[in-house]
């Protein structure tokens, strides 16, 4: 259903104003807001929930996937700063282990620590925060956003800024501003949504490799998968996913297993009623999975439901058409761009939109592709950049660049571009991407 946005021309009160307003406080918004503030722009972060962190906080998504190597991730500086800031919320005895690049827990995310650490970084950088503010409409004139209407406690008000950064994950702001976008693959299918959850009190058999890293016993995981496939075939678990996608979660407690297994297909995350149904379907699958695991899976007999995402996770929705559209060809060619704002080694990772199956396509070891600044500058709006997931790319390469570390780096580029435009009273499209890259390098990005 195509809904209309609320009337924005009425004289709503001004809630706040800034040089740069970042809408959405997920990984992309964190990168954008910190970098904008560090460029000297008065920066405001608007977030619909009461915590920052996006999928890492409210979607229960973990672990961080790696671009680069464990010892040398390509995403800097915000990704590393965020991880470092999370450590203080662990018991002191645990910090050294988790900080070690070779320990699995190095990539694990405690969602409360993620929110606290993101807020620590934002406050320390002078970013002003407005939680529980949802952008619901834009008022545009002369191809620019004049103000963004937010709904918050007590009603509606507006945010004014010279430049806005859309870090809503779904490209909501850009879509409201009339920017062209695409959604899904050539058949219009988006990657499935997933409700993530954790079970505690699981008896996990671990094995240790030569480097001293601990892993879930592969034989146990295989047994779990065999049982899961049997339960699926016999209709006790109705979930399209082909296997149990699980990760150990050793930073909260021993015996915690994280499930990324539910697979919710055929719903539209940009349509309110459809998205609501997706939540119900995600929780239906969760109930069946928990019942199956407790009654049939070894080690899960006394498991307890520890937590689940506050919302279902959306892997893919709008991809805003920008001044450049990154494609799978660029991925395969390990494309380089003078105006690169991020680099990635992460594989193409397409969870089937239509049933079982996951398509994985790797780059050769050590190879990376670059994402140009032009991908975060949308066609169709003169004072907007787009950070995080909804950037200008085809569905295949989007499945690679959507991981959290890269979403942060893309946000960084969008934040720097927005700040430079705001501070020079020009538009992001007029900012030379090579200057953005240079500025990012000066601020600690790995783009030399
Ligand atoms: C199920 C699932 C599993 C995944 N697994 C992994 C993984 O293992 N490792 C990995 O690295 N990545 C993984 N990802 C990818 C990753 O989580 C996302 O691509 C990444 O979080 C995107 O960051 P973002 O900031 O663009 O969007 P989000 O994280 O979605 O953040 C968007 C933020 O904007 C806010 N917002 C939205 N609309 C508005 C509005 N109108 N007004 C105000 N605020 C708004 C939201 O509340 C949210 O906080 C997974 C994703 C999903 C869904």
């Amino acid at each position: 259903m195509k809904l209309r946005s609320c009337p924005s021309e009425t004289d709503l009160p001004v809630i706040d104003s800034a040089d740069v307003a970042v809408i959405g406080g997920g990984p992309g918004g964190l990168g954008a807001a910190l970098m904008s503030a560090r460029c000297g722009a008065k920066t405001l972060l608007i977030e619909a929930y009461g915590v920052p962190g996006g999928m890492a906080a409210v979607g229960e998504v973990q672990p961080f996937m790696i671009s680069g190597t464990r010892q040398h991730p390509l995403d800097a500086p915000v990704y590393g700063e965020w991880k470092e800031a999370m450590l203080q919320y662990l018991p002191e005895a645990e910090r050294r282990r988790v900080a070690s690049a070779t320990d699995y827990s190095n990539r694990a995310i405690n969602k409360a620590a993620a929110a606290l650490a993101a807020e620590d970084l934002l406050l320390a950088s002078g970013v002003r925060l407005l939680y529980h503010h949802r952008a619901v409409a834009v008022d545009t004139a002369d191809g620019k956003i004049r103000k963004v209407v937010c709904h918050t406690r007590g009603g509606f008000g507006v945010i004014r800024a010279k430049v806005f950064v859309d870090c809503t994950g779904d490209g909501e702001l850009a879509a409201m501003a009339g920017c062209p976008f695409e959604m899904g693959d050539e058949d219009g299918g988006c990657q499935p949504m997933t409700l993530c959850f954790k079970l505690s009190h699981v008896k996990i058999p671990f094995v240790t490799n030569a480097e001293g890293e601990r892993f879930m016993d592969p034989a146990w995981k295989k047994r779990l998968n065999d049982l899961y496939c049997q339960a699926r075939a016999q209709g006790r678990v109705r979930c399209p996913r082909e296997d149990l996608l699980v990760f150990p979660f050793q930073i909260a407690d021993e015996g915690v297993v994280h499930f990324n297994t539910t697979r919710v297909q055929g719903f539209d995350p940009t349509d309110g009623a459809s998205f609501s149904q997706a939540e119900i379907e995600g929780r239906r699958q969760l109930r069946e999975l928990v019942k199956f695991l407790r009654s049939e899976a070894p080690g899960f007999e006394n498991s307890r439901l520890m937590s689940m995402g506050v919302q279902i996770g959306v892997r893919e929705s709008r991809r805003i058409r920008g001044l450049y559209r990154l494609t799978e060809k660029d991925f395969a060619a390990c494309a380089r761009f003078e105006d690169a704002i991020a680099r990635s080694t992460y594989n193409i990772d397409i969870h089937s939109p239509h049933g079982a199956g996951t398509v994985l396509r790797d780059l050769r070891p050590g190879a990376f592709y670059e994402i140009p600044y032009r991908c975060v500058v949308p066609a169709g709006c003169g004072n907007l950049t787009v950070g995080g997931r909804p950037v200008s790319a085809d569905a295949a390469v989007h499945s690679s660049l959507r991981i959290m570390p890269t979403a942060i780096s893309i946000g960084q580029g969008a934040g720097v571009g927005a700040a430079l435009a705001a501070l020079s009273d020009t538009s992001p499209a007029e900012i030379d991407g090579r200057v953005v890259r240079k500025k990012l390098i000066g601020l600690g990005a790995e783009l030399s």
Side-chain angles (χ1 to χ4, degrees), residues 366-384:
F368 64 85
Y369 68 94
E370 291 186 333
I371 301 161
Y373 172 65
R374 284 160 290 157
C375 285
V376 306
V377 182
C381 184
N383 63 340
L384 181 66

Side-chain angles (χ1 to χ4, degrees), residues 24 27-28 47-49 54-55 63 65 135 168 172 194 313-314 389 402 404:
E47 168 54 49
Y49 284 106
M55 281 299 116
M65 290 297 157
T168 60
E172 278 196 23
T194 290
V314 180
R389 172 162 70 77
R402 70 191 171 87
M404 286 180 277

Side-chain angles (χ1 to χ4, degrees), residues 22-30 46-49 51-66 107 109 130 133-136 148 150 166-170 172-173 176 192-196 245 247 258 260 262 311-316 346 349 351 387-390 398 401-408:
V22 177
I23 315 295
L30 179 65
I46 311 290
E47 168 54 49
Y49 284 106
V51 288
M55 281 299 116
V58 299
E60 191 100 27
V61 169
Q62 75 100 38
F64 285 118
M65 290 297 157
I66 302 176
R107 299 190 290 127
I109 303 172
L130 276 176
H133 282 64
R134 174 172 282 278
V136 292
V148 168
C150 286
D166 183 344
C167 290
T168 60
D170 297 309
E172 278 196 23
L173 199 69
M176 289 189 287
M193 295 180 241
T194 290
L195 175 65
C196 296
L245 185 55
F247 300 93
H258 173 89
N260 197 336
T262 64
Q311 74 152 74
I312 194 166
V314 180
R315 285 192 178 78
E316 183 186 0
Y346 193 68
D349 177 8
H351 300 233
R389 172 162 70 77
H398 174 270
L401 59 76
R402 70 191 171 87
I403 61 168
M404 286 180 277
T406 314
I408 296 171

